[in-house]
Amino acid sequence: MRVRKAVFPAAGLGTRFLPATKAMPKEMLPLVDKPIIQYGVEEALAAGCDQIIIVTGRGKTAIEDHFDQSYELEQLLEEKGKTELLTIVRQISDMIHVAYVRQKQAMGLGHAVLMARELVGDEPFAVLLADDVISGPVPCLKQRIKAFEATQSSIIATQQVDGPAISAYGVIDGSPVRSGKFNGRLHNIKNLVEKPKWEEAPSNQAIIGRYILTPEIFKALDRTPLGAGGELQLTDGLRLLLKKEKVYGYNFEGVRHDTGDKLGFLKATVEFALQRKDLGSGLRDYLKTLKL
Ligand code: UTP
């Protein structure tokens, strides 16, 4: 089966970015001049998904407005002859049809995914957390869709994290699949461990915010009791799914920027700006003048 639908849970409270996120969704924070969620939507489109589902909550209308047409703005830009900006603005609303579903209360990532059940239906789908922005030669989702096509199983994206930093992540307990065409990137998963102590981590493969899931996950989430923080955790649901069917990890090729964290956001902003033709050299010159 093909992965056509991409779900973006975007109903979290974004407390780490308060007060900026008091009235603005975290997913609309810009990396240079593009909201972080747009990077994820572009990744999904580049991977061949043609249906975007965004799970929103209270105070998230800016996301809907962003992907909608803005007649007044387009007219104004047209009148002023700002054709380049007009193209950029039009590209966003022309990009794709986006469907929205509401998570009335932020009851956890697993609960947010469950909200998309009716729109997803009985087919495999991708889940992308907007605050993990990924850059690399091949879109992260595209790499994992290839792995899904070969295995027809759920695929969790992982990255290698060495040393004590692993304690900040969910970690897979598993081993690389040595045969086949994925160069040891594909991992069999036996179990998932949330934020283990460094010495007790079952591997160095940390889970990041990109998943391909079979629809069986909805049944698993239905049966999952509330976990850490009184929330319905996706990891707990995945652990139940593991009892029913195979789940793989995929150590993707590329760089993950954790923009949900303030320092990660600042680093990503600098890196993305340095890569820009219009800003890179000016910013590089400025950074050199800082007495660090
Ligand atoms: P985070 O764990 O980053 O939580 O959620 P958060 O609320 O967005 O941010 P902080 O930690 O308070 O600063 C990971 C992803 O899951 C979504 C978020 O919107 C984010 O994209 N999410 C989380 C939901 O959609 N619903 C929830 O109930 C929780």
Side-chain angles (χ1 to χ4, degrees):
M1 284 187 84
R2 233 189 91 208
V3 179
R4 301 184 303 145
K5 299 181 180 176
V7 175
F8 289 78
L13 302 176
T15 52
R16 282 171 290 169
F17 270 94
L18 281 168
T21 46
K22 186 173 172 224
M24 180 178 67
K26 164 174 91 169
E27 296 75 13
M28 289 302 293
L29 290 172
L31 271 191
V32 188
D33 52 10
K34 198 194 281 187
I36 57 172
I37 193 164
Q38 195 179 327
Y39 289 93
V41 169
E42 287 174 2
E43 179 188 327
L45 299 186
C49 292
D50 52 18
Q51 291 180 51
I52 302 292
I53 298 162
I54 302 183
V55 184
T56 63
R58 218 168 296 125
K60 300 279 183 171
T61 44
I63 300 177
E64 296 180 33
D65 290 342
H66 181 69
F67 290 106
D68 198 3
Q69 223 166 356
S70 173
Y71 292 105
E72 299 82 2
L73 179 64
E74 287 182 22
Q75 204 177 347
L76 202 83
L77 292 173
E78 202 156 15
E79 279 166 18
K80 295 198 176 234
K82 298 199 183 275
T83 46
E84 233 173 88
L85 285 176
L86 186 62
T87 312
I88 292 174
V89 166
R90 281 207 176 127
Q91 263 166 1
I92 302 166
S93 52
D94 288 350
M95 224 174 345
I96 200 162
H97 173 72
V98 185
Y100 297 91
V101 61
R102 199 102 167 165
Q103 184 190 23
K104 288 192 183 132
Q105 246 184 315
M107 287 175 63
L109 179 55
H111 185 257
V113 170
L114 204 47
M115 295 299 102
R117 185 181 204 158
E118 272 178 35
L119 288 175
V120 169
D122 194 25
E123 59 179 283
F125 63 104
V127 173
L128 296 93
L129 305 191
D131 42 10
D132 275 348
V133 176
I134 296 182
S135 50
V138 183
C140 175
L141 181 55
K142 198 168 187 171
Q143 299 175 37
R144 285 173 305 114
I145 283 181
K146 286 219 170 94
F148 172 81
E149 282 165 358
T151 60
Q152 293 292 308
S153 299
S154 295
I155 312 269
I156 304 174
T158 65
Q159 67 170 0
Q160 186 173 325
V161 174
D162 295 311
I166 194 86
S167 301
Y169 295 86
V171 179
I172 66 165
D173 178 0
S175 50
V177 178
R178 290 288 168 207
S179 57
K181 55 184 174 179
F182 295 106
N183 296 327
R185 289 189 177 276
L186 196 65
H187 287 67
N188 274 312
I189 297 183
K190 279 195 300 194
N191 195 9
L192 303 166
V193 185
E194 200 53 61
K195 302 191 170 80
K197 285 192 189 137
W198 172 32
E199 319 82 57
E200 290 166 13
S203 76
N204 61 3
Q205 295 297 311
I207 299 170
I208 64 146
R210 295 284 186 281
Y211 308 81
I212 292 176
L213 301 171
T214 63
E216 195 64 36
I217 188 67
F218 294 125
K219 289 186 205 149
L221 285 169
D222 259 346
R223 291 185 289 117
T224 305
L226 297 183
E231 295 187 341
L232 182 50
Q233 303 289 350
L234 181 59
T235 314
D236 293 340
L238 285 166
R239 229 178 268 121
L240 278 188
L241 182 66
L242 260 172
K243 293 191 177 148
K244 278 248 157 186
E245 51 180 52
K246 269 201 92 60
V247 177
Y248 289 94
Y250 190 87
N251 181 7
F252 74 97
E253 195 185 349
V255 181
R256 169 219 181 215
H257 308 269
D258 180 9
T259 67
D261 166 76
K262 273 182 240 183
L263 185 59
F265 180 82
L266 289 171
K267 287 181 189 170
T269 302
V270 173
E271 281 182 43
F272 277 61
L274 284 172
Q275 283 163 17
R276 286 268 296 250
K277 279 200 191 95
D278 55 342
L279 297 168
S281 67
L283 180 61
R284 195 167 287 107
D285 291 347
Y286 167 70
L287 291 175
K288 281 183 196 154
T289 67
L290 295 178
K291 295 192 177 67
L292 299 171

